[in-house]
Amino acid sequence: SFPYFHAYLLDKKSNPISNKGISCTVRFFLPDNTSVNAELKPFGEDGFSLESSTTKFYACRVTFIVFGKSVSAKFESENIIVQNNE
């Protein structure tokens, strides 16, 4: 398991955008059909991070608030996929 969760908002050329003035939250979807919300802290100049003990999630939705507008994406967890294939 990885102790940190990182997120980056990318532009159209897949370059990370500065995190200045942007907030970031994540919702982890857990195997027992519950979910956990967390706020990520700015990391460096263009990222966000969370020291996370939630490693058994099957998916997550990362949401950025950029100048009052919400931008989000949902991702499947590779951890659970690997565990299901064993």
Side-chain angles (χ1 to χ4, degrees), residues 28-34 55-60 74-78 80-81 84:
F28 294 105
F29 298 95
L30 309 178
D32 64 0
N33 293 324
T34 63
T55 55
K56 300 277 187 209
F57 62 94
Y58 70 86
C60 67
K74 189 170 182 179
F75 301 93
E76 302 297 317
S77 171
E78 294 177 10
I80 296 297
I81 293 169
N84 287 342

Side-chain angles (χ1 to χ4, degrees), residues 30-66:
L30 309 178
D32 64 0
N33 293 324
T34 63
S35 64
V36 176
N37 294 322
E39 188 169 338
L40 281 72
K41 294 183 180 349
F43 175 78
E45 294 181 3
D46 55 10
F48 295 87
S49 71
L50 172 69
E51 189 169 345
S52 176
S53 60
T54 310
T55 55
K56 300 277 187 209
F57 62 94
Y58 70 86
C60 67
R61 176 173 295 281
V62 178
T63 302
F64 298 94
I65 304 298
V66 185

Side-chain angles (χ1 to χ4, degrees), residues 9 17 21-23 64-71:
L9 182 60
I17 294 173
I22 298 176
S23 65
F64 298 94
I65 304 298
V66 185
F67 305 114
K69 294 185 180 181
S70 175
V71 178

